[in-house]
């Protein structure tokens, strides 16, 4: 049914929904190949006779590789009447190449995207085009003005809640209790569109008990915040996010989750290899424990996957750290502290460590939370 809806949307005149409407978040799709631009590296250059745009990879179809991929989201900053800058994944096109993109809207509502390069009175106009029809591939082509064709026509779609334009979260693991979990690191701010999708930080790591304590983020999630998601569904469309302006801010507190943008494992000779090696002594990845419950675990991988997070741990951390909310963690400490003699006063701090001479603060005394003043 969803694919039928997308097909019907594709039959709608382009001008009805494929257009720039001020600076904001967009996806850019080639009208001929139906592939979407994704940003997989920060390096790009444009010269008078050639262009290096291998930082752009092309993806399709929407549901299977685009809808939940942060690399397909571009912040388009409109400048003047027909120029723009593309930003995303930490890449700034103007900053990387020194050039802005120009655009002109065609009669059918699509766009030509092009650059003017050169010096000394000699300039060249180069058009962005895509001439491959594979579901995935790194290529783009730069055309000169005397070459026309649908391969250089582009749709630009604002990212919103529409079934053909949304951004959603795709879970990485499903636990035995039916809950779905994912990590994500993105260059845009957001808040979950539904109350059934929740975003967390990891606010504490208890190596002694093998626990990663999570805290729900209250309010907006700023750009470049590594997060853990709890989702009600395995379908990204049910886990939509509402994207927020780059200026969005919020204090999310202590966070042991660490970030990664890229996993572009191409030959070093290309100049575009961009990976973060996985280090088992100091990193744990989202996974499942022996009981099928969500946990941060040692992983058998070489590199951190693109747009995923890892949990930073000390070399003494256990292989598996179970995920608990703050409430579950405090309750667990209470249960550990409870079985004592009535006459004996046993005091623990909130990290579960026994305290002989407590200072002012909140403690667990004989299994109950007590404020010592």
């Amino acid at each position: 049914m969803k694919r039928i809806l997308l097909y019907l949307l594709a039959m709608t005149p382009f001008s009805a929904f494929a257009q720039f409407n001020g600076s904001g978040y967009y996806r850019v799709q080639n009208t001929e190949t139906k592939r979407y631009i994704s940003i997989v590296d920060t390096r790009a250059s444009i010269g008078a006779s050639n262009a290096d745009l291998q930082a752009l990879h092309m993806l399709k179809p929407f549901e299977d590789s685009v809808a939940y991929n942060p690399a397909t989201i571009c912040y388009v900053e409109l400048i003047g009447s027909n120029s723009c800058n593309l930003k995303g994944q930490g890449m700034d096109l103007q900053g990387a190449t020194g050039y802005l993109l120009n655009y002109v809207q065609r009669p059918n509502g699509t766009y030509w995207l092009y650059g003017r390069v050169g010096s000394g009175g000699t300039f060249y106009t180069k058009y962005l085009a895509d001439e491959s029809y594979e579901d995935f591939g790194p290529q783009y082509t730069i055309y000169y003005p005397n070459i026309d064709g649908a391969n250089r026509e582009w749709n630009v779609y604002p990212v919103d809640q529409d079934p053909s334009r949304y951004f959603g979260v795709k879970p990485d693991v499903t636990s035995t209790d039916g809950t779905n979990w994912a990590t994500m690191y993105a260059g845009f701010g957001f808040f979950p569109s539904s109350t059934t999708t929740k975003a967390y930080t990891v606010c504490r790591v208890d190596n002694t008990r093998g626990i990663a304590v999570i805290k729900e983020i209250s309010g907006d999630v700023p750009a470049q915040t590594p997060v853990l998601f709890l989702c009600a569904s395995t379908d990204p469309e049910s886990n939509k996010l509402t994207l927020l302006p780059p200026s969005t801010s919020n204090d999310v507190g202590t966070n042991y989750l660490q970030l990664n943008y890229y996993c572009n494992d191409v030959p070093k000779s290309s100049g575009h290899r961009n990976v973060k090696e996985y280090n088992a002594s100091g990193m744990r990845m989202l996974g499942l424990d022996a009981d099928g419950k969500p946990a941060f675990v040692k992983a058998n991988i070489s590199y951190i996957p693109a747009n995923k997070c890892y949990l930073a741990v000390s070399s003494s951390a256990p292989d598996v750290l179970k995920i608990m909310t703050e409430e579950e963690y405090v309750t667990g400490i209470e249960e550990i502290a409870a079985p004592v003699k009535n006459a004996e006063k046993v005091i623990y701090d909130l990290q579960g460590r026994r305290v002989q001479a407590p200072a002012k603060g909140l403690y667990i005394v004989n299994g109950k939370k007590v404020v010592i003043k």
Side-chain angles (χ1 to χ4, degrees):
M1 182 64 173
K2 190 184 299 180
R3 293 185 185 277
I4 293 175
L5 175 59
L6 292 176
Y7 173 77
L8 292 174
L9 286 170
M11 300 297 290
T12 305
F14 290 131
S15 58
F17 52 82
Q19 60 183 344
F20 286 127
N21 186 24
S23 298
Y25 295 103
Y26 293 86
R27 288 191 181 96
V28 182
Q29 182 195 37
N30 189 268
T31 61
E32 180 70 10
T33 68
K34 308 305 180 187
R35 305 197 310 173
Y36 292 81
I37 287 177
S38 69
I39 302 173
V40 301
D41 190 25
T42 59
R43 288 156 285 192
S45 62
I46 299 175
S49 60
N50 58 65
D52 178 2
L53 295 180
Q54 294 183 60
L56 304 181
H57 280 200
M58 309 301 296
L59 299 175
K60 71 175 186 181
F62 179 81
E63 291 176 323
D64 298 335
S65 59
V66 176
Y68 53 87
N69 189 338
T72 65
I73 306 296
C74 295
Y75 185 80
V76 179
E77 181 183 11
L78 299 185
I79 300 172
S81 60
N82 72 332
S83 298
C84 65
N85 188 24
L86 299 183
K87 299 179 180 179
Q89 297 281 97
M91 188 190 82
D92 181 316
L93 182 64
Q94 184 181 26
T97 67
Y99 294 98
L100 292 171
L101 271 181
N102 297 313
Y103 61 89
V104 59
Q105 190 167 24
R106 305 286 291 157
N108 63 359
T110 65
Y111 289 87
W112 283 352
L113 304 174
Y114 64 95
R116 291 269 295 164
V117 299
S119 61
T122 302
F123 290 89
Y124 299 87
T125 300
K126 296 190 174 185
Y127 289 87
L128 187 67
D130 179 23
E131 60 179 9
S132 174
Y133 289 83
E134 301 297 326
D135 284 358
F136 167 82
Q139 307 323 340
Y140 53 83
T141 302
I142 299 298
Y143 280 152
Y144 289 93
N146 60 338
I147 300 177
D148 199 349
N151 294 78
R152 72 176 188 185
E153 291 185 352
W154 300 87
N155 296 324
V156 289
Y157 298 110
V159 182
D160 54 31
Q161 304 297 296
D162 187 275
S164 65
R165 302 193 294 266
Y166 71 90
F167 180 86
V169 179
K170 182 178 182 180
D172 301 323
V173 298
T174 299
S175 69
T176 51
D177 62 5
T179 56
N180 304 288
W181 300 82
T183 65
M184 189 184 79
Y185 178 71
F188 47 80
F190 63 86
F191 65 83
S193 305
S194 169
T195 56
T196 59
T197 301
K198 301 183 183 298
Y200 296 88
T201 60
V202 175
C203 62
R204 181 177 301 155
V205 177
D206 185 337
N207 289 337
T208 302
R209 292 177 175 78
I211 299 171
V213 184
I214 62 175
K215 179 179 180 179
E216 186 175 359
I217 298 175
S218 176
D220 298 335
V221 180
Q224 300 180 332
T225 302
V227 295
L228 172 71
F229 285 103
L230 171 61
C231 305
S233 172
T234 58
D235 181 3
E237 189 174 357
S238 298
N239 310 320
K240 293 178 182 177
L241 303 181
T242 298
L243 274 53
L244 298 170
S247 59
T248 299
S249 62
N250 188 16
D251 183 5
V252 301
T254 301
N255 190 5
Y256 286 89
L257 289 175
Q258 299 295 311
L259 54 93
N260 184 54
Y261 263 139
Y262 303 109
C263 190
N264 190 16
D265 188 16
V266 296
K268 290 183 179 180
S269 59
S270 70
H272 288 274
R273 190 168 191 268
N274 198 333
V275 296
K276 187 178 186 70
E277 293 188 358
Y278 173 70
N279 179 3
S281 67
M283 300 176 178
R284 298 291 180 270
M285 302 299 297
L286 177 64
L288 300 174
D289 65 13
D291 297 323
K293 299 294 181 62
F296 285 97
V297 303
K298 276 190 176 180
N300 184 25
I301 57 176
S302 299
Y303 309 114
I304 306 297
N307 296 107
K308 293 299 177 181
C309 311
Y310 63 90
L311 182 65
V313 298
S314 67
S315 58
S316 62
D319 290 357
V320 177
L321 291 152
K322 296 183 178 181
I323 293 173
M324 282 189 181
T325 64
E326 288 184 300
E327 293 78 10
E328 291 169 333
Y329 182 67
V330 171
T331 300
I333 293 176
E334 290 178 351
E335 291 174 351
I336 293 171
V340 297
K341 298 177 181 179
N342 291 334
E344 182 184 4
K345 180 180 288 188
V346 180
I347 304 174
Y348 291 85
D349 64 17
L350 294 183
Q351 282 71 46
R353 298 170 297 198
R354 189 163 179 172
V355 179
Q356 298 296 334
K360 294 180 180 180
L362 180 63
Y363 295 88
I364 308 298
V365 181
N366 289 358
K368 297 181 180 180
K369 283 181 279 189
V370 174
V371 176
I372 297 178
K373 300 180 179 179

